[in-house]
Amino acid sequence: MASNSKESAREDLRTDFVTLTNDILSRQQRSKEATGDLTILLSAISSACKWISNVVRKAELMKVIGVTGGTNVQNENVQKLDILSNEIMCNLLRDSGKTAILVSEEDDEAIFVEDSKRGHYCVCFDPLDGSSNIDCGVSIGTIFGIYRVKSEGAKPSIADVLRPGTEMVAAGYCMYGSSTVLVLTFQGSNEVNGYTLDPSIGEFVLTHRNMKLGPKKIYSINEGNAHTFDAAIKGYIDSVKFPPAGHTGKFTPYTARYVGSMVADVHRTILYGGVFLYPGAKLRILYECFPMALIVEAAGGKASTGRKRMLDVVPEKLHARSGIVLGTSAEVEAIEARYKELDAKK
């Protein structure tokens, strides 16, 4: 009986898990060029995500549900949780001592960190993506992309962040839903790992190693905006919903799934497969399109504007916008082919 009790206890209390902290430190030790600065920065981001996760779960009790009555630089209604999440991110990133510039969806201008706390990294982030879904409890999240300043001896400038997504050193998102999951990738690693927050120990634990896009046929788009879609997007959507003219064999339409929170929709796309589409120039390039594009490519997929690889785009201003399609390579290529055909007719 004693032996069985010990075995049961070992099953209930796992000690063989890998935490985010340990995983990042292991990566640092394998790199000869690593200084430890990025490790400290990522630790600050994970701490911010834990804090935001806690606030999101207690939002109703803390009376931080609802709008403030103001709008942000995107002319969107600002939620109380938006403001709080932004303050959490900015304070922890600044105090890490490893950042030089902070670019947030909630701030009109970039934040240049004071000399006494300045580091060598620039972080672009959306502190709380999908905030319009806050009141109804739908999954929301934090998105971030990290650049290293171009010249460590020079004074940081906007040019340090107005760069193509290919120059990011790392990107990730943290989803706050039935569980809190932080997904992270590094430039050139071709590996995406997911870590689930274990509240009992206060650590993100590796639960999804080397994530790759699934095989399911799912399309995700807000069809309420169908009247604004161009011919390429309309043609693609019709092709996955209806059989082609004259088709007599079996036709299996794709499944439609759309949450309205980019973090939730992209997370599902990575796990299950398919394609996420947001046509038109609405999503912000630096802190929505670029981070998600880097993650999806590392997971074996593609991300495109429809006409160009998303990561090759060079934003002209901090809050520049773009449309995006991302998901399994075959689906994104099918959409790109439609744009190529459309452009050839012009």
Side-chain angles (χ1 to χ4, degrees):
M1 287 291 292
S3 176
N4 291 337
S5 297
K6 289 180 180 179
E7 288 178 5
S8 177
R10 281 197 293 270
E11 290 177 1
D12 293 339
L13 299 173
R14 286 188 55 199
T15 58
D16 61 341
F17 51 73
V18 177
T19 67
L20 172 62
T21 302
N22 289 341
D23 212 20
I24 296 173
L25 284 172
S26 176
R27 178 183 175 82
Q28 175 188 323
Q29 292 168 357
R30 294 195 301 270
S31 174
K32 295 180 180 180
E33 295 80 20
T35 62
D37 285 3
L38 183 57
T39 300
I40 294 172
L41 175 57
L42 289 171
S43 177
I45 291 175
S46 71
S47 294
C49 290
K50 292 174 190 177
W51 194 346
I52 294 171
S53 174
N54 187 51
V55 171
V56 167
R57 293 185 183 283
K58 295 181 179 179
E60 191 66 58
L61 299 175
M62 295 171 65
K63 300 303 178 184
V64 289
I65 287 286
V67 298
T68 62
T71 58
N72 61 14
V73 67
Q74 321 300 336
N75 199 33
E76 299 168 336
N77 289 329
V78 176
Q79 303 281 336
K80 295 173 184 177
L81 269 178
D82 281 333
I83 299 299
L84 187 54
S85 300
N86 191 50
E87 290 177 356
I88 291 170
M89 286 290 289
C90 289
N91 290 338
L92 287 181
L93 289 173
R94 185 187 292 111
D95 290 343
S96 72
K98 303 304 175 186
T99 57
I101 304 175
L102 306 179
V103 177
S104 169
E105 181 193 29
E106 300 303 325
D107 296 312
D108 293 7
E109 305 294 333
I111 298 173
F112 290 87
V113 178
E114 57 268 35
D115 292 350
S116 61
K117 295 182 178 180
R118 184 181 298 162
H120 304 304
Y121 290 97
C122 311
V123 185
C124 305
F125 59 93
D126 182 345
L128 206 60
D129 169 71
S131 56
S132 61
N133 288 317
I134 289 173
D135 291 7
C136 61
V138 170
S139 294
I140 53 181
T142 299
I143 310 173
F144 60 90
I146 303 172
Y147 290 95
R148 190 172 179 89
V149 293
K150 289 183 176 180
S151 177
E152 296 181 8
K155 188 175 181 179
S157 70
I158 294 300
D160 285 306
V161 292
L162 296 183
R163 300 150 67 181
T166 52
E167 296 183 19
M168 285 190 301
V169 296
Y173 62 81
C174 189
M175 184 178 69
Y176 314 114
S178 58
S179 59
T180 297
V181 181
L182 193 153
V183 174
L184 180 65
T185 191
F186 296 90
Q187 180 62 261
S189 69
N190 291 321
E191 184 177 12
V192 179
N193 290 322
Y195 308 82
T196 301
L197 180 62
D198 183 342
S200 65
I201 61 174
E203 286 279 4
F204 281 103
V205 178
L206 180 61
T207 50
H208 301 74
R209 182 179 288 282
N210 198 19
M211 299 166 68
K212 296 298 179 185
L213 270 80
K216 291 187 177 180
K217 302 293 187 179
I218 300 172
Y219 75 96
S220 180
I221 189 172
N222 183 357
E223 293 196 72
N225 294 326
H227 66 285
T228 67
F229 297 166
D230 57 35
I233 296 298
K234 286 182 178 178
Y236 173 78
I237 297 301
D238 284 347
S239 74
V240 301
K241 292 171 64 176
F242 308 109
H247 181 82
T248 57
K250 182 180 179 181
F251 174 78
T252 305
Y254 285 24
T255 300
R257 293 286 185 270
Y258 186 72
V259 176
S261 166
M262 188 183 191
V263 168
D265 283 313
V266 172
H267 188 68
R268 183 200 56 250
T269 300
I270 293 173
L271 292 180
Y272 296 164
V275 62
F276 169 79
L277 308 92
Y278 210 116
K282 182 176 181 181
L283 296 183
R284 275 66 59 158
I285 295 173
L286 282 174
Y287 41 82
E288 290 177 326
C289 296
F290 277 174
M292 291 307 198
L294 190 70
I295 292 167
V296 167
E297 285 197 4
K302 282 192 171 185
S304 171
T305 65
R307 294 182 169 90
K308 183 177 185 179
R309 181 190 180 200
M310 189 71 245
L311 292 175
D312 289 337
V313 172
V314 180
E316 297 180 353
K317 55 185 180 180
L318 290 180
H319 302 289
R321 302 175 183 235
S322 173
I324 192 171
V325 293
L326 57 80
T328 54
S329 297
E331 302 302 334
V332 175
E333 288 169 2
I335 296 167
E336 288 178 324
R338 288 182 178 275
Y339 273 106
K340 188 175 182 180
E341 181 181 342
L342 181 66
D343 292 343
K345 294 178 181 179
K346 293 181 180 179

